Amino acid sequence: MNKSLFLVGTVVAAVTNLMGQAPSTVPSKLAGFHKVTARAWSTTLVGVNFVRPVLASGKLDAEAANSLTDNNVDFNVALAGQSNLWVEITSGTNKGIASPVTTIAQRVLTTEDDLSSFSAPGDTYEVRAAHTITTLFGATNSAGLKPCPTATWNGSADLVYVPDGAGGYKYVFYSTAAAGWREVNSGAADAAGTPVYHVDGLWITRNDFTNLTITFTGSLRTTPTFFPVANGTNLPLNTVYPTGSTLANSGLSTRCFKGRKPRPTLCGSPMPPVAGISSTMPPPPHHR
């Protein structure tokens, strides 16, 4: 699962504060919100730190490669009509490990990742739907991103970069002409349902003179978060950490390869290029 809050600062004249989501619509015993500022004429890396409500939960009766079984839940009923599902192990040694769900059967979840080494019968789990462009920014752009006046990308609107799960990005914008969300170079295809998983880092390019503050709301997770890291360069991950977090106490020193010359492990957040429209994009943000 290739699935991030880092702000790039510039001096601007004004700030707009709009809601991407309404807190009153979050049905959770433990919920919250956070505000993210997309800086004027800048590209900001943001993380989505609140998740959607639990749709199914229970204890595992069995697990195998890419499958989890609960004989006390009818997944076909509990998850009917849902899409972009993911399952999280919420107890045991590896609580917090998660994977997208590829298919469901009455008692079995088939997962994109093999969780058999990280789960065991008796472990508890929760299934949720991933956020989408609509649940984060509103079906009609209630978040207030600068829209595109045309049905296809013309370079003037705000742009949201969403990891595509294959090492690249989908580039999404709101079109007033189409009255909906569209993806760059994808014609009239509706991009409102583009999934955003809890470990994803989103880039937001703000093509306007004012800052834009967006409020994200949702349920709070109480388990650790596992980030997938593959060989090579990885996409930015959800990067909001508790107060007091430092490199020294992050645990990275025990998990990153301690390279010596000529190629030590490097940490950074490279700004992704946009195919065919790179001339419209601002310079990459500085690494910190």
Side-chain angles (χ1 to χ4, degrees), residues 58-73 75 87 89 105-111 119-125:
K59 288 186 177 181
L60 297 178
D61 289 307
E63 46 79 26
N66 299 92
S67 72
L68 302 172
T69 300
D70 183 349
N71 295 321
N72 298 303
V73 174
F75 292 119
V87 59
I89 304 301
Q106 185 177 20
R107 309 296 185 199
V108 179
L109 300 173
T110 301
T111 58
S119 60
D123 285 352
T124 57
Y125 69 88

Side-chain angles (χ1 to χ4, degrees), residues 241-250:
Y241 302 107
T243 300
S245 295
T246 65
L247 284 175
N249 63 30
S250 68

Side-chain angles (χ1 to χ4, degrees), residues 2-3 10 18 21 52 56 58 72 91 95 117 131 134 140 152 160-161 171 177 180 193-194 196 202 212 230 249 286:
N2 294 328
K3 304 304 170 197
T10 58
L18 293 175
Q21 303 164 292
R52 299 178 72 180
N72 298 303
S91 69
K95 65 180 179 180
S117 298
H131 272 300
T134 289
T140 58
T152 57
V160 180
Y161 303 58
Y171 307 99
T194 302
V196 180
L202 299 178
L212 175 67
N249 63 30
H286 296 293

Side-chain angles (χ1 to χ4, degrees), residues 2-241:
N2 294 328
K3 304 304 170 197
S4 355
L5 180 66
F6 174 78
L7 300 180
V8 182
T10 58
V11 178
V12 294
V15 176
T16 302
N17 187 357
L18 293 175
M19 296 293 294
Q21 303 164 292
S24 61
T25 65
V26 181
S28 172
K29 294 181 180 179
L30 189 60
F33 69 93
H34 76 282
K35 295 184 178 183
V36 174
T37 300
R39 304 288 179 176
W41 304 117
S42 296
T43 298
T44 302
L45 179 61
V46 304
V48 178
N49 301 287
F50 296 87
V51 294
R52 299 178 72 180
V54 174
L55 299 172
S57 63
K59 288 186 177 181
L60 297 178
D61 289 307
E63 46 79 26
N66 299 92
S67 72
L68 302 172
T69 300
D70 183 349
N71 295 321
N72 298 303
V73 174
D74 188 334
F75 292 119
N76 287 329
V77 173
L79 304 176
Q82 301 292 332
S83 60
N84 301 318
L85 297 168
W86 59 284
V87 59
E88 176 185 8
I89 304 301
T90 55
S91 69
T93 304
N94 297 297
K95 65 180 179 180
I97 196 78
S99 174
V101 174
T102 55
T103 60
I104 61 173
Q106 185 177 20
R107 309 296 185 199
V108 179
L109 300 173
T110 301
T111 58
E112 180 178 300
D113 304 290
D114 183 358
L115 301 183
S116 60
S117 298
F118 306 98
S119 60
D123 285 352
T124 57
Y125 69 88
E126 294 178 346
V127 182
R128 307 173 190 266
H131 272 300
T132 65
I133 291 295
T134 289
T135 63
L136 291 175
F137 301 104
T140 58
N141 187 27
S142 57
L145 296 173
K146 183 181 178 181
C148 184
T150 58
T152 57
W153 172 254
N154 71 353
S156 67
D158 291 348
L159 197 62
V160 180
Y161 303 58
V162 183
D164 63 7
Y169 288 88
K170 294 183 177 182
Y171 307 99
V172 179
F173 63 96
Y174 187 80
S175 166
T176 51
W181 296 96
R182 296 293 182 263
E183 181 183 347
V184 174
N185 298 329
S186 292
D190 186 3
T194 302
V196 180
Y197 290 88
H198 71 298
V199 294
D200 280 341
L202 299 178
W203 294 99
I204 299 178
T205 291
R206 178 70 171 157
N207 288 314
D208 197 68
F209 292 96
T210 63
N211 285 0
L212 175 67
T213 299
I214 305 170
T215 300
F216 294 125
T217 71
S219 302
L220 293 170
R221 296 170 60 251
T222 57
T223 53
T225 299
F226 286 74
F227 295 110
V229 179
N231 286 333
T233 301
N234 287 260
L235 298 184
L237 302 169
N238 191 321
T239 56
V240 175
Y241 302 107

Side-chain angles (χ1 to χ4, degrees), residues 255-268:
R255 296 183 178 271
C256 287
F257 176 71
K258 300 176 179 62
R260 294 182 292 180
K261 61 180 184 182
R263 290 189 63 189
T265 300
L266 300 177
C267 295

